[in-house]
C-alpha cells in the first residue's frame, strides 16, 4: 500500500467514525431481532453481507414470519429501496472512472455511504477514488460486524425487542439533520418535505416513497438555476 492509499485509508477511517458509532446500536438491534425471530448469528451475517440494506433487513424479519408471496416481497423490496436508483445516478460518471471497483461501490451505496461520499472534500495527500472505496468498505464492515455481534448476544441472552427497530429511524434522522445543516440551499429539503407529505396524503404511507422521489427530482431539476444561485 503506497503512501497515498494509506493516507486515504486513515482519512476514510476518521470520517467514518460517526457512522460506526451510529451503526453499533442499529446493527446490534437488528441482530437481536433476528435472534428473537429464531435466526442465528450466521444468518444475520449472511443477510448483512449480501442484502446490506438496514431498513429492508429489518422488514425482512416480518417477511420471514409471514406467508407473503415471494413476488410481493420482491416488489416491496424494490419500492423500499428505489431511492438507491437516484443515489447511483448522481455518481454514475465518477464510478465509471474507478475501473472494476465501480461494481463494489454500486453495491455498497446505502444511505450512510451516500451521505459520506457526497460530503467528501479534497485534502492534500489523499485520492478521492480510494477515499470512496475505503469509506464504503469500512461502513460495510461495521454493519456486518455489529449486526453479527447483536445476533450472537441475542442468541445467548433473551431480550424484549419491543421498539428496538426505532434505532434505524433515529440514525436516519441524525443523518438528515446533518445534511440539512451542511446544505447551502434549503430549497431541495423543502421540496422533498412538501412532496413527501403530499404523496403520503395521496398514496398512503406504504406507497408514497417512489412517487415522492420522482416528484422531488423533477422539481429540483426544474429549479436548478435558482438553487445554484443560493449556493
Amino acid at each position: 500500500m503506497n503512501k497515498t492509499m494509506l493516507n486515504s485509508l486513515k482519512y476514510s477511517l476518521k470520517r467514518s467514525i460517526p457512522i460506526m458509532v451510529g451503526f453499533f446500536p442499529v446493527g446490534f438491534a437488528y441482530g437481536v431481532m433476528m435472534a428473537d425471530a429464531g435466526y442465528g448469528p450466521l444468518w444475520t451475517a449472511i443477510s448483512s453481507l449480501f442484502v446490506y440494506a438496514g431498513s429492508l433487513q429489518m422488514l425482512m424479519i416480518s417477511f420471514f414470519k409471514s406467508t407473503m408471496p415471494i413476488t410481493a416481497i420482491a416488489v416491496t423490496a424494490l419500492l423500499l429501496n428505489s431511492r438507491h436508483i437516484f443515489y447511483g445516478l448522481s455518481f454514475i460518471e465518477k464510478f465509471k472512472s474507478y475501473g472494476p471497483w465501480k461494481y463494489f461501490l454500486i453495491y455498497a451505496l446505502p444511505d450512510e455511504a451516500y451521505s459520506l461520499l457526497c460530503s467528501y472534500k479534497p485534502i492534500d495527500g489523499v485520492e478521492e477514488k480510494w477515499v470512496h472505496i475505503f469509506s464504503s468498505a469500512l461502513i460495510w464492515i461495521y454493519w456486518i460486524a455489529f449486526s453479527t455481534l447483536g445476533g450472537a448476544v441475542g442468541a445467548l441472552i433473551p431480550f424484549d425487542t419491543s421498539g428496538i427497530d426505532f434505532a434505524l429511524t433515529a440514525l436516519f434522522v441524525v443523518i438528515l439533520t446533518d445534511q440539512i445543516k451542511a446544505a447551502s440551499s434549503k430549497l431541495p429539503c423543502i421540496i422533498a418535505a412538501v412532496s413527501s407529505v403530499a404523496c403520503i396524503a395521496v398514496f398512503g404511507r406504504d406507497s408514497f416513497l417512489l412517487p415522492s422521489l420522482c416528484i422531488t427530482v423533477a422539481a429540483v431539476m426544474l429549479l436548478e438555476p435558482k438553487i445554484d444561485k443560493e449556493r
Side-chain angles (χ1 to χ4, degrees):
M1 183 180 290
N2 59 42
K3 186 176 180 180
T4 300
M5 289 178 63
L6 183 59
N7 289 339
S8 299
L9 175 59
K10 292 178 180 177
Y11 181 53
S12 301
L13 182 60
K14 180 180 178 181
R15 295 177 73 236
S16 68
I17 287 176
I19 293 178
M20 178 184 68
V21 173
F23 264 11
F24 175 73
V26 180
F28 190 87
Y30 168 66
V32 170
M33 291 173 66
M34 283 285 282
D36 184 65
Y39 295 92
L42 178 60
W43 282 108
T44 303
I46 291 172
S47 173
S48 295
L49 180 65
F50 292 105
V51 180
Y52 190 37
S55 55
L56 177 60
Q57 287 178 244
M58 295 280 192
L59 191 59
M60 278 173 55
I61 298 172
S62 62
F63 291 162
F64 294 154
K65 295 179 178 179
S66 71
T67 56
M68 183 183 294
I70 188 66
T71 304
I73 293 175
V75 171
T76 302
L78 176 62
L79 293 175
L80 183 63
N81 290 284
S82 57
R83 65 190 183 278
H84 295 281
I85 297 173
F86 299 94
Y87 294 172
L89 288 174
S90 63
F91 277 99
I92 191 168
E93 293 300 325
K94 188 175 293 294
F95 286 175
K96 281 182 180 179
S97 65
Y98 290 172
W101 284 106
K102 65 186 177 184
Y103 300 109
F104 170 70
L105 289 168
I106 291 169
Y107 164 73
L109 196 62
D111 303 272
E112 296 78 14
Y114 179 72
S115 174
L116 207 59
L117 267 58
C118 285
S119 61
Y120 170 80
K121 293 181 180 179
I123 65 170
D124 293 336
V126 306
E127 185 178 344
E128 183 179 19
K129 169 186 173 180
W130 289 113
V131 171
H132 285 169
I133 292 170
F134 287 137
S135 297
S136 299
L138 286 168
I139 293 172
W140 186 42
I141 292 169
Y142 299 153
W143 179 253
I144 295 170
F146 292 143
S147 61
T148 304
L149 176 63
V153 173
L156 296 174
I157 306 173
F159 282 88
D160 179 5
T161 60
S162 301
I164 201 170
D165 54 337
F166 184 74
L168 187 66
T169 304
L171 179 60
F172 286 166
V173 171
V174 171
I175 292 172
L176 174 62
T177 302
D178 287 341
Q179 286 291 300
I180 292 174
K181 286 181 178 179
S184 54
S185 173
K186 310 302 184 197
L187 186 56
C189 303
I190 296 171
I191 293 171
V194 172
S195 171
S196 298
V197 173
C199 287
I200 288 174
V202 175
F203 300 103
R205 290 184 299 174
D206 296 331
S207 306
F208 84 97
L209 187 57
L210 186 56
S212 175
L213 283 170
C214 292
I215 292 171
T216 300
V217 171
V220 169
M221 290 176 66
L222 288 172
L223 297 173
E224 186 175 4
K226 179 176 176 58
I227 295 171
D228 287 339
K229 287 181 182 179
E230 296 181 3
R231 288 173 177 168

